[in-house]
Amino acid sequence: QVQLVESGGGLVQPGGSLRLSCAASGSIASINAMGWYRQAAGKQRELVAQIISRIGLTRYVDSVKGRFTISRDNAKNTMYLQMNSLKPEDTAVYYCHAVIGVSGVDYWGKGTLVTVSS
């Protein structure tokens, strides 16, 4: 089994920055993809940023391009989401996600709340 634990959420002013972390632990054979999703109140969950491990491809939802950066530290089994120039529209619960193993099993963290407000 694999566990994903997010941290780094909180309250930040518009224009501020925040870095989210996701630590993975357990029986990790291979990570096919890792990413961050978010879900605002009353909205559908959306993919924010993702790394496709095999080809090293990163992708972002249009609304965060140029502001957010996804990265990973393989030695620490940790993924990060650096969020700059935050806007109130970024307010949401952010979830860590990974697709692991030959069968491509999905794992989710519990989420961390990011609130952007003055």
Side-chain angles (χ1 to χ4, degrees):
Q1 296 296 307
V2 175
Q3 291 183 320
L4 303 176
V5 180
E6 305 99 331
S7 62
L11 175 64
V12 64
Q13 294 183 339
S17 297
L18 211 59
R19 188 176 76 157
L20 305 183
S21 298
C22 173
S25 62
S27 300
I28 304 174
S30 62
I31 302 177
N32 302 318
M34 297 186 70
W36 292 93
Y37 288 72
R38 68 185 180 187
Q39 187 167 22
K43 306 293 183 180
Q44 289 187 297
R45 188 172 300 186
E46 67 172 349
L47 176 65
V48 178
Q50 187 177 52
I51 299 174
I52 308 299
S53 301
R54 181 174 59 84
I55 59 177
L57 176 68
T58 59
R59 58 192 183 119
Y60 302 86
V61 67
D62 286 344
S63 60
V64 310
K65 287 181 179 178
R67 300 188 297 119
F68 290 11
T69 303
I70 188 170
S71 63
R72 62 186 176 186
D73 186 332
N74 293 330
K76 297 181 179 180
N77 286 327
T78 301
M79 177 179 63
Y80 305 95
L81 183 66
Q82 178 65 47
M83 304 183 293
N84 298 325
S85 301
L86 283 162
K87 304 175 180 179
E89 307 91 85
D90 296 317
T91 297
V93 176
Y94 284 71
Y95 297 91
C96 178
H97 172 258
V99 181
I100 298 175
V102 176
S103 299
V105 179
D106 289 270
Y107 292 90
W108 294 90
K110 296 294 184 182
T112 185
L113 177 63
V114 172
T115 302
V116 184
S117 177
S118 59

